[in-house]
């Protein structure tokens, strides 16, 4: 397979290519870190293999707040280097994938002139560090303008707000774009292929798809462990590397109808514990997040607690003039964990988001921590290390200049409903036209997910290719059956397999809502 088309019907051939090759680099993990490393290394001319135990971006990389931001709060913590890198990387992503870096106003309410002055000083530094264009620099607005812009905001005790631009993204599709770009540059990539064993000269990968008995021994000069929340688990495949270096923090988000929480900008709201939470408009929805509490266990679907939900709802109701939000109004929610470098004695929200690289006595390179916004720079550092360790002949890093798939000029979707056009261009960028040519709608998206985006299960399409699980009415359950039919026709699913795929997704949705009270007229969900 070559080009940017990840065709999930060619999995057997991909396993055979993994078995047959001897690679400069094998990457374990298909989240944003592994995807960025694979793309960078392949573009420099290294031979690269990447294996992911589940679907691409199925861990932390699809459960973020979906922001590409500079992280102003890290400036307050003194992490100037981290802020500088993230602020600069925003502009690079905007250049190479404009559909995945959508400029949007962020608004921070202020309670005093002193607070406004402090924020402005921080933003001035942030803008200098990140090379923010003059036309996109922050502004201070008074109380009257704040009320005009955000009529829902409770303004008692406020004296105005600070507005500044940041970027929103679709995190899972950002990962996918990097994976596809890596393949186009020559990498052999495969999802649902778990690292089962480290061999000293590579890794043994085995299929994790139901009913698929495939595997490969992947020979490589160097193995990089970029398994996110599962970094410690992969490290433990080596003798003597069973200690714990990660600390996991749980973050959840609630999705509500935009009509219920009609905010215009991304609002940064103060929670009772003085943390900041976000209310983010996205199409027909507003999502609220996030929490930041320690979580035990690297679960694939980390279970939230009722206190997480109440924390977000009560903080939102306190900041905005809205009626109390009932559980039944929540369209969807997602929960994820952040793989942070353990810092005993600190609270979850105090733990640094810096990345660290470790090398085991056996030569396994592991990377953990880091921010979504700075993934490209983080990958560049890792690949510099790979080139040094392997002695491979390599070209200079070019990932800051070459567009990601979909990053060319977006098609003109005039005539399409604005919300639908925004969704399509946000997901597919310049490739949106291909969806329209194929008839648009669920079936066209599902077919492309199989033939171009490596989707092997209905969940892959529903959660990570189309984002319908979180940003569609009724959690996108109405899309499941037509999507299963379209995917099944390509993947050879029987009627029973299609039904099973739908049932699995419905079970995931039910489980995600198990802490919510049923809406009036609906049965309580088990």
């Amino acid at each position: 397979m070559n080009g940017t088309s990840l065709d999930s019907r060619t999995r057997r051939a991909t396993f055979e290519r993994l078995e047959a090759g001897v690679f400069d680099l094998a990457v374990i993990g298909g989240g944003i870190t592994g995807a960025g490393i694979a793309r960078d290394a392949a573009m420099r001319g290294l031979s690269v293999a990447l294996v992911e135990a589940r679907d691409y971006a199925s861990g932390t990389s699809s459960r973020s707040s979906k922001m590409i931001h500079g992280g102003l709060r890290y400036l307050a913590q003194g992490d100037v280097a981290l802020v500088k890198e993230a602020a600069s990387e925003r502009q690079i992503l905007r250049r190479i994938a404009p559909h995945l870096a959508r400029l949007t106003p962020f608004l921070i309410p202020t309670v005093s002139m002193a607070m406004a002055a402090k924020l402005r000083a921080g933003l001035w530094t942030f803008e200098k560090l990140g090379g923010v264009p003059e036309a996109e620099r922050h502004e201070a607005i008074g109380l009257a303008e704040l009320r005009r812009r955000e009529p829902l905001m409770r303004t008692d005790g406020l004296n105005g707000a600070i507005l500044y631009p940041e970027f929103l993204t679709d995190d899972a599709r950002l990962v996918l774009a990097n994976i596809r770009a890596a393949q186009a540059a020559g990498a052999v990539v495969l999802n649902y292929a778990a690292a089962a064993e480290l061999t000293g000269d590579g890794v043994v990968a085995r299929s994790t798809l139901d009913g698929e008995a495939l595997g490969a021994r992947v020979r490589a000069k160097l193995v990089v462990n970029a398994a996110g929340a599962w970094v410690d688990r992969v490290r433990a495949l080596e003798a003597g590397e069973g200690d714990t270096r990660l600390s996991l923090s749980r973050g959840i988000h609630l999705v509500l109808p935009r009509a219920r929480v009609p905010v215009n900008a991304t609002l940064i709201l103060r929670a009772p514990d003085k943390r900041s939470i976000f209310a983010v408009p996205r199409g027909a929805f507003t999502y609220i997040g996030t929490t930041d509490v320690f979580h035990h266990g690297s679960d694939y679907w980390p279970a939230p607690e009722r206190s997480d939900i109440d924390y977000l709802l009560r903080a939102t109701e306190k900041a905005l003039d809205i009626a109390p939000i009932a559980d039944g109004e929540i369209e969807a929610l997602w929960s994820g964990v952040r793989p942070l470098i353990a810092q005993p004695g600190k609270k979850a929200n105090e733990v640094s988001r810096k990345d660290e690289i470790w090398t085991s006595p056996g030569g396994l390179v592991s990377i953990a921590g880091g921010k979504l916004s700075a993934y490209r720079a983080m990958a560049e550092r890792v690949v510099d290390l790979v080139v040094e360790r392997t002695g491979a002949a390599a070209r200079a890093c070019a990932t800051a200049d070459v567009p990601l798939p979909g990053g060319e000029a977006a098609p003109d979707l005039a005539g399409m409903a604005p919300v639908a056009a925004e969704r399509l261009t946000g997901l597919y960028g310049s490739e949106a036209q291909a969806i329209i040519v194929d008839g648009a709608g669920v079936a066209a998206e599902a077919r492309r997910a199989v033939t171009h985006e490596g989707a092997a299960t209905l969940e892959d399409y529903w959660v990570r290719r189309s984002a319908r699980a979180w940003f569609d009415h009724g959690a996108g359950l109405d899309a499941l059956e037509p999507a299963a039919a379209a995917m099944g026709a390509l993947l050879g699913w029987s009627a029973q397999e299609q039904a099973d795929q739908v049932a699995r997704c419905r079970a995931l949705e039910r489980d995600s809502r198990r802490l919510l009270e049923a809406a009036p007229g609906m049965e309580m969900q088990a």
Side-chain angles (χ1 to χ4, degrees):
M1 193 187 295
N2 51 34
T4 61
S5 295
L6 294 176
D7 192 332
S8 58
R9 296 169 296 182
T10 61
R11 292 180 53 80
R12 179 178 295 277
T14 306
F15 269 110
E16 290 171 357
R17 291 180 64 199
L18 288 171
E19 178 77 30
V22 178
F23 299 89
D24 293 316
L25 171 66
V27 180
I28 299 172
I32 191 61
T33 303
I37 291 169
R39 175 185 181 236
D40 189 334
M43 288 176 64
R44 295 200 209 187
L46 275 64
S47 56
V48 179
L50 179 146
V51 292
E52 160 58 45
R54 306 290 293 250
D55 186 27
Y56 305 118
S58 55
T60 305
S61 296
S62 60
R63 320 285 178 88
S64 75
S65 294
K66 309 190 187 305
M67 295 174 180
I68 301 296
H69 65 126
L72 274 178
R73 74 183 179 96
Y74 308 126
L75 198 60
Q77 294 172 351
D79 273 343
V80 175
L82 181 66
V83 174
K84 180 179 181 181
E85 183 175 81
S88 302
E89 287 297 314
R90 299 181 324 155
Q91 300 298 337
I92 291 173
L93 184 60
R94 182 187 196 182
R95 189 167 64 243
I96 64 174
H99 62 303
L100 295 171
R102 302 184 300 280
L103 197 64
T104 183
F106 277 43
L107 186 149
I108 308 176
T110 57
V111 298
S112 66
M113 293 294 289
M115 178 184 178
K118 184 178 179 182
L119 278 171
R120 298 197 74 177
L123 279 162
W124 181 86
T125 305
F126 170 77
E127 289 161 353
K128 288 292 183 186
L129 291 172
V132 176
E134 186 74 30
E136 295 177 3
R137 297 194 172 177
H138 76 275
E139 62 174 312
I141 61 173
L143 207 51
E145 181 64 8
L146 171 59
R147 288 171 175 148
R148 187 189 71 78
R149 286 175 178 259
E150 299 294 343
L152 286 186
M153 183 73 73
R154 295 186 193 274
T155 55
D156 294 349
L158 302 182
N159 74 331
I162 302 295
L163 272 169
Y164 68 104
E166 285 276 21
F167 299 88
L168 298 179
T169 191
D170 186 293
D171 45 10
R173 292 199 66 90
L174 178 59
V175 174
L176 184 65
N178 277 273
I179 291 283
R180 293 175 63 202
Q183 177 179 277
V188 181
V189 301
L190 191 61
N191 55 357
Y192 294 100
E197 183 183 346
L198 295 173
T199 59
D201 65 347
V203 57
V204 173
R206 296 196 182 108
S207 173
T208 57
L209 271 185
D210 290 345
E212 185 180 74
L214 297 174
R217 177 170 179 167
V218 186
R219 296 167 180 81
K221 295 177 183 174
L222 190 71
V223 178
V224 169
N225 168 16
W230 296 270
V231 156
D232 280 338
R233 188 177 298 180
V234 172
R235 289 179 52 245
L237 293 175
E238 280 192 322
E241 292 296 305
D243 60 321
T244 299
R245 297 194 179 185
L246 293 188
S247 179
L248 304 182
S249 161
R250 184 177 66 247
I252 80 158
H253 296 77
L254 309 177
V255 182
L256 295 156
R258 180 88 170 265
R260 186 64 174 81
V261 187
V263 300
N264 297 307
T266 292
L267 306 183
I268 301 177
L269 308 174
R270 197 80 178 268
D273 62 355
K274 303 190 185 312
R275 282 189 64 250
S276 293
I277 67 167
F278 301 100
V280 187
R282 174 167 166 162
F285 303 94
T286 297
Y287 63 94
I288 301 166
T290 179
T291 56
D292 196 352
V293 294
F294 286 123
H295 182 86
H296 300 290
S298 51
D299 314 304
Y300 179 58
W301 291 102
E305 296 181 0
R306 181 69 219 189
S307 57
D308 297 333
I309 297 165
D310 290 338
Y311 173 85
L312 293 177
L313 291 181
R314 302 296 88 81
T316 303
E317 292 162 359
K318 184 177 180 182
L320 302 179
D321 187 12
I322 56 175
I325 299 168
D327 282 1
E329 297 178 287
I330 297 171
E331 293 273 5
L333 71 163
W334 73 85
S335 176
V337 293
R338 308 173 186 87
L340 308 176
I341 310 300
Q343 292 182 291
K346 288 193 173 184
K347 296 178 181 177
N349 66 333
E350 295 171 344
V351 176
S352 172
R353 268 51 177 172
K354 289 180 181 176
D355 59 279
E356 287 190 11
I357 299 172
W358 313 304
T359 303
S360 74
L364 176 69
V365 174
S366 296
I367 178 164
K371 285 171 55 60
L372 176 69
S373 304
Y375 83 91
R376 193 209 61 81
M378 186 166 57
E380 184 175 346
R381 288 194 294 275
V382 173
V383 177
D384 286 345
L385 177 67
V386 171
V387 171
E388 178 187 330
R389 295 271 174 88
T390 62
R395 298 187 285 271
C397 175
T399 54
D401 301 312
V402 178
L404 287 165
E408 307 291 350
D412 182 4
L413 299 183
M416 183 176 284
V419 171
E422 177 187 341
R423 173 182 176 275
L424 209 56
T425 53
L427 292 176
Y428 297 96
S430 58
E431 297 179 331
Q433 189 66 34
I435 300 293
I436 294 171
V437 168
D438 192 30
V442 169
E445 294 173 4
R447 283 191 289 270
R448 188 169 181 83
V450 172
T451 60
H452 289 71
E453 299 174 346
T457 74
L458 183 59
E459 179 197 319
D460 300 344
Y461 164 74
W462 176 57
V463 176
R464 291 171 291 277
R465 304 304 186 276
S466 71
R468 289 185 182 275
W470 295 322
F471 298 107
D472 197 358
H473 296 290
L477 295 180
D478 288 347
L480 292 177
E481 292 190 3
M487 295 181 72
L490 293 169
L491 294 170
W493 291 345
S494 66
Q496 184 59 54
E497 177 61 16
Q498 288 186 38
D500 289 346
Q501 293 279 343
V502 171
R504 284 181 204 137
C505 293
R506 287 187 175 277
L508 281 175
E509 197 273 341
R510 279 197 304 275
D511 193 49
S512 75
R513 301 182 67 87
R514 74 190 188 288
L515 295 174
L516 302 180
E517 296 177 6
M522 294 177 63
E523 292 183 2
M524 186 71 180
Q525 309 214 5

